[in-house]
């Protein structure tokens, strides 16, 4: 048995190493790079906004190809202004600065000695590799007698184009994916709630908008325990929710985050060169029409998530597993409502993968017997 699992792991390591190297070779310097790099350099030079802006673009220019650098500068008019006006550049930084956890990881690599742009990209590359190890671990213990399933399923997920895209682009999503995998493992292993709470805090620090996921999870646990177990209020869950809200509000206030309406306007309607010079104003009708338009292009995610949700309900009769699957499913659409970028699957693929893991759990429970171990 040990020999077979050893060969299985060796095959997986070769595969994940190849995919990780491929992601590194295909790394992308895009228009989000200046924002994350500026957030890190703002810690290094807190009183010199002009130096931050100049260093951001000079460092990117040294590493990016001429085509990529021109794309960063001329992606839209706002990007051209950010390149020439350090005050305008500084005004849009809060969109990136609030992702404190991700920026902290980038900063650590930068202080170790990597260049700024490489620190951003390597955070994703390392996270991609670690996520692969966690996937292998999880599938191995879901199907302990099937030596081929752990490497094949893990590598298939890692090979999936949206997952590779997360690793190749300057975005916190791959780093966040590691923590959502840890969270899912802790839930399936029925770890203490404090463990899940700490992971949720990390998720909110990496992407503050994950406060919605954290809130829906805590509410689901609260309701499940109240109606199926004690009929008593779980005050610990209420305290956890309050502390997560405090973390979220503290981040938003500290970095003077403009707000969801500004983010939506700048992302989908018009990227303002100088945020303070123009109000982000749009009607509910314009928002709703845009949402419906994007929903039409959300068919692949919708179909895949519906199949996985239906499959989980079919294979599992456990109420909690069904609730967990429904939770991941609902959060796909919560995310879509607030940020309907249906063309960019990286915003939603994480929840789809978590839903897929719950689906595998249901199959394992029904046909293979559940043998989950603990992370060493």
């Amino acid at each position: 048995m040990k020999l077979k699992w050893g060969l299985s792991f060796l095959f997986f390591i070769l595969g994940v190493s190849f995919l990780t190297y491929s992601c590194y070779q295909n790394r992308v310097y895009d228009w989000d790079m200046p924002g994350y790099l500026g957030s890190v350099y703002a810690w290094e030079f807190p009183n010199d906004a002009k130096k931050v802006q100049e260093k951001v673009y000079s460092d990117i220019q040294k590493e990016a190809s001429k085509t990529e650098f021109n794309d960063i500068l001329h992606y839209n008019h706002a990007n051209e202004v950010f390149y020439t006006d350090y005050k305008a550049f500084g005004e849009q930084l809060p969109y990136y600065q609030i992702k404190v956890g991700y920026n902290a990881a980038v900063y650590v690599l930068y202080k170790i000695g990597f260049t700024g742009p490489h620190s951003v990209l390597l955070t994703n590359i390392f996270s991609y590799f670690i996520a692969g190890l966690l996937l292998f671990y999880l599938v191995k213990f879901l199907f302990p007698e099937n030596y081929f399933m752990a490497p094949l399923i893990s590598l298939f997920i890692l090979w999936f184009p949206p997952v590779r895209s997360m690793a190749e682009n300057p975005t916190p999503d791959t780093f966040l994916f590691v923590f959502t995998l840890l969270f899912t493992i802790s839930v399936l292993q029925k770890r203490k709630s404090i463990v899940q709470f700490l992971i949720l805090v990390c998720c909110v620090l990496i992407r503050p908008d994950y406060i919605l996921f954290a809130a829906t999870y805590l509410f689901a646990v609260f309701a499940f325990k109240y109606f199926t177990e004690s009929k008593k209020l779980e005050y610990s869950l209420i305290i956890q929710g309050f502390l997560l809200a405090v973390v979220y509000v503290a981040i938003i206030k500290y970095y003077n985050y403009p707000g969801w309406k500004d983010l939506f306007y700048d992302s989908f309607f018009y990227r303002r060169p100088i945020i303070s010079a123009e109000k982000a104003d749009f009607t509910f009708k314009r928002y709703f029409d845009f949402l419906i338009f994007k929903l039409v292009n959300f068919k692949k995610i919708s179909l895949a998530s519906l199949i996985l949700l239906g499959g989980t309900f079919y294979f599992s009769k456990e109420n909690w597993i069904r609730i967990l699957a429904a939770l991941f499913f609902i959060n796909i659409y919560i995310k879509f409502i607030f940020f309907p970028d249906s063309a960019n699957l990286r915003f939603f693929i994480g929840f789809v993968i978590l839903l897929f893991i719950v689906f595998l759990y249901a199959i394992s429970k029904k046909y293979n017997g559940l043998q989950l171990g603990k992370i060493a």
Side-chain angles (χ1 to χ4, degrees), residues 307-366:
I307 291 173
L308 291 173
L309 180 66
T312 303
F313 272 61
Y314 175 78
F315 288 114
S316 177
K317 304 305 178 185
E318 288 185 51
N319 289 332
W320 173 239
I321 293 303
R322 288 182 168 190
I323 289 173
L324 191 61
L327 176 74
F328 291 143
F329 178 82
I330 290 169
N331 270 276
I332 293 172
Y333 289 92
I334 291 176
K335 180 70 176 177
F336 179 80
I337 288 171
F338 284 92
F339 202 82
D341 192 357
S342 55
N344 204 334
L345 297 183
R346 69 179 174 85
F347 292 113
F348 314 99
I349 195 64
F351 284 124
V352 176
I353 293 172
L354 298 185
L355 184 56
F356 177 63
I357 290 170
V358 176
F359 171 71
L360 292 179
Y361 179 99
I363 293 176
S364 172
K365 185 80 171 181
K366 186 176 179 66

Side-chain angles (χ1 to χ4, degrees), residues 10 16 21 35 119 131 159 161 196 212 297 319 338 347 349 355 361:
L10 177 62
V16 73
Y21 179 73
S119 297
W159 166 84
Q196 291 144 28
L212 297 171
N297 299 318
N319 289 332
F338 284 92
F347 292 113
I349 195 64
L355 184 56
Y361 179 99

